[in-house]
Amino acid sequence: MNPNSGNPPTLVDIGVNLTGSSFAADTGTVIEHARDSGVSHLVLIGSDIGDSESAITLCERFDNCVATAGIHPHHASEFDSHSIAQIRRLAIEHPAHVKALGEMGLDFNRNYSTPDEQLEAFAAQLALAAELNLPVYLHQRDAHDAFLELVSQYRDRLPRAVAHCFTGSTAELHDYLDLDLHIGITGWICDERRGLALRDTVRDIPMDRLMLETDAPYLLPRTIAPKPKSRRNEPAYLGYVLQTVAECLELEPAVVATATTATAKRFFKLD
């Protein structure tokens, strides 16, 4: 079944890495395909200063895009005293485009930056988000306890927070829900090899905390048939994530689409 056929429901993709080389040659076409597939808004992820600036530039070109601005834990080794000033400048100068700070967090799986570097960059960005009263866009991999401890210190001062691309356990999910985090679900849930546990866990997410994302160009849903020749994920495929989530929740896709779209629009203050 192709969930994009007919009149697809309106969706918001809260996680697109649109500034990368994978989309350099056909950015406009990708956005057009997303619109045609019912994806009304895209949240472009900023993973370092240059990436955040590029995301804002795309938002100036495409009125259905908003951005995050921040430094991913992989790039924490690049973080210095000027980084926070640069993120602050982007957020203050572009309030119509920068709707959250991030992607920030901890990734102790690959440790492209040391844990200490990641903790420093993460804490500084959380403090800035609290200062500017902006939501945060969070990344966590193999660092649950340290992540939870740090987020807990700032959560009361943050307006909203989302755990992007959640793939964790039910216990981890409830830790995040106890902190009033929103949860982003990707095509990981469409993977019959790795996503089976998530198909059970997703049932515990309240509908007003659940949001959908592709994390394109990564995590191409394995439920797509036939698979695109490029194997590149893109926002137009968000309907496949919706379809699997709806099946897990035993709800009609239109019901899940309406709820997750409303939640995403509230979270990112989308018109």
Side-chain angles (χ1 to χ4, degrees):
M1 174 182 176
N2 181 353
N4 293 334
S5 61
N7 295 311
T10 300
L11 297 170
V12 175
D13 189 343
I14 71 154
V16 187
N17 300 280
L18 198 61
T19 63
S21 58
S22 296
F23 296 117
D26 61 347
T27 305
T29 300
V30 168
I31 292 175
E32 181 180 353
H33 285 169
R35 287 185 194 268
D36 292 344
S37 299
V39 182
S40 65
H41 291 82
L42 311 179
V43 179
L44 311 186
I45 303 172
S47 59
D48 59 24
I49 300 301
D51 199 40
S52 300
E53 291 174 335
S54 296
I56 291 168
T57 298
L58 287 174
C59 291
E60 292 170 341
R61 290 178 55 197
F62 302 103
D63 62 5
N64 65 330
C65 295
V66 297
T68 71
I71 295 178
H72 189 286
H74 288 345
H75 300 286
S77 60
E78 305 164 14
F79 180 86
D80 58 27
S81 59
H82 301 293
S83 303
I84 285 297
Q86 291 173 299
I87 297 171
R88 179 187 285 109
R89 174 184 59 81
L90 293 176
I92 291 175
E93 291 182 359
H94 303 278
H97 302 315
V98 177
K99 297 295 187 176
L101 296 193
E103 178 178 357
M104 66 176 78
L106 301 174
D107 192 315
F108 293 171
N109 177 269
R110 296 182 179 179
N111 280 323
Y112 289 143
S113 300
T114 68
D116 285 344
E117 290 170 332
Q118 294 182 45
L119 287 163
E120 179 185 2
F122 190 18
Q125 291 179 89
L126 288 169
L128 178 61
E131 174 193 332
L132 299 179
N133 195 38
L134 282 171
V136 290
Y137 193 89
L138 302 172
H139 172 104
Q140 186 277 123
R141 189 174 184 187
D142 292 351
H144 177 75
D145 291 342
F147 175 89
L148 195 68
E149 180 180 357
L150 195 50
V151 174
S152 297
Q153 295 175 28
Y154 289 91
R155 182 65 189 94
D156 288 346
R157 292 185 278 156
L158 298 168
R160 295 173 301 285
V162 57
H164 146 71
C165 190
F166 179 80
T167 60
S169 68
T170 300
E172 289 174 340
L173 171 66
H174 283 275
D175 283 341
Y176 294 166
L177 294 177
D178 287 345
L179 279 178
D180 194 27
L181 300 191
H182 286 67
I183 308 295
I185 297 296
T186 65
W188 185 280
I189 202 168
C190 302
D191 191 327
E192 78 286 357
R193 307 161 305 170
R194 302 182 297 176
L196 291 180
L198 185 58
R199 295 183 186 187
D200 291 328
T201 299
V202 74
R203 297 171 186 163
D204 287 356
I205 304 174
M207 198 64 77
D208 62 352
R209 306 262 206 99
L210 174 64
M211 297 189 284
L212 305 180
E213 53 179 319
T214 57
D215 203 21
Y218 314 113
L219 297 178
L220 179 71
R222 285 176 58 84
T223 49
I224 297 176
K227 299 236 178 343
K229 292 180 180 179
S230 68
R231 297 299 174 112
R232 179 188 73 175
N233 197 10
E234 59 179 82
Y237 303 142
L238 187 61
Y240 290 92
V241 180
L242 168 68
Q243 184 72 32
T244 300
V245 169
E247 290 171 0
C248 294
L249 299 181
E250 299 182 346
L251 294 171
E252 289 297 320
V255 173
V256 179
T258 298
T260 57
T261 295
T263 299
K265 287 186 174 182
R266 285 193 303 269
F267 186 98
F268 292 102
K269 293 189 174 181
L270 304 175
D271 293 330

